[in-house]
Amino acid sequence: MTPVLRTERLLLDPYTPADEEGFVALFQDVRVSRWMGDGPGTEAEDRALFGRVFTKVYAQNLFDVWAVRRDGRLVGHAEIKRTDEAGGHEIVYALAPEAWGSGLGTELAEAIVAYGFDTLGLAEVHATVAEPNTASLVLLERIGFAHVRDVREDDGSTTRVLTRRGVPAA
């Protein structure tokens, strides 16, 4: 069961059916979705994805997925999941453009990483980022992620794999 996480300014909690319109709006914003998965999808695809959060991810307890809220409003999406591409657990996060530039991305990424280390007991956490997404690359490097390798995608683009190692328990 996906737990509730809190930061100084954000609440990360499981999605509810009432979040569908906000989820679709976030994923339909090409400034956000261009960096997520395979890029922008149709509204129908994003609605189906939202449905799968409940019918698959939550129902089968596959991995943790959060709605990211600030002052009660849905402003982002976050998850941590096992992935073969990174060879371990990967963090995924996105914020609506109105939440950019105020340090919320750093706050969000740090919260997911801390959850991975402290709650899931991971030794390392990964992130995969499209090479042109310099804002995410800078953010992740600033919070301790190191570039470990590049993946050449079928379309010729490059995805950077970054890793942050945890501090071993004493």
Side-chain angles (χ1 to χ4, degrees):
M1 185 73 184
T2 297
V4 173
L5 305 178
R6 294 179 193 282
T7 71
E8 184 180 327
R9 299 176 289 170
L10 299 173
L11 170 69
L12 285 69
D13 64 353
Y15 281 102
T16 68
D19 292 321
E20 182 171 359
E21 295 309 317
F23 177 95
V24 170
L26 179 70
F27 279 70
Q28 283 293 294
D29 189 321
V30 294
R31 296 169 294 177
V32 175
S33 61
R34 68 188 268 203
W35 306 121
M36 302 201 52
D38 294 325
T42 66
E43 182 178 334
E45 289 168 335
D46 290 340
R47 289 190 188 283
L49 177 63
F50 184 77
R52 286 194 301 278
V53 167
F54 295 95
T55 61
K56 289 192 71 152
V57 178
Y58 290 158
Q60 299 173 25
N61 200 25
L62 296 179
F63 53 90
D64 296 301
V65 177
W66 295 275
V68 179
R69 304 178 201 282
R70 182 172 189 200
D71 301 326
R73 290 187 51 243
L74 181 70
V75 296
H77 172 87
E79 52 191 74
I80 186 167
K81 62 184 177 182
R82 181 138 187 75
T83 176
D84 291 334
E85 184 169 291
H89 281 74
E90 174 183 17
I91 65 168
V92 176
Y93 60 91
L95 286 171
E98 65 265 18
W100 294 354
S102 60
L104 291 175
T106 299
E107 199 172 308
L108 176 56
E110 285 279 32
I112 309 165
V113 169
Y115 174 77
F117 291 145
D118 300 341
T119 303
L120 300 180
L122 302 175
E124 56 187 22
V125 175
H126 309 281
T128 56
V129 181
E131 187 176 45
N133 187 353
T134 54
S136 276
L137 291 169
V138 167
L139 183 159
L140 291 166
E141 288 173 8
R142 189 172 58 243
I143 66 169
F145 278 77
H147 173 245
V148 292
R149 65 185 165 90
D150 289 336
V151 176
R152 186 61 123 189
E153 302 294 348
D154 292 340
D155 65 3
S157 66
T158 299
T159 297
R160 304 207 109 178
V161 179
L162 298 97
T163 300
R164 179 168 159 185
R165 289 179 173 70
V167 179

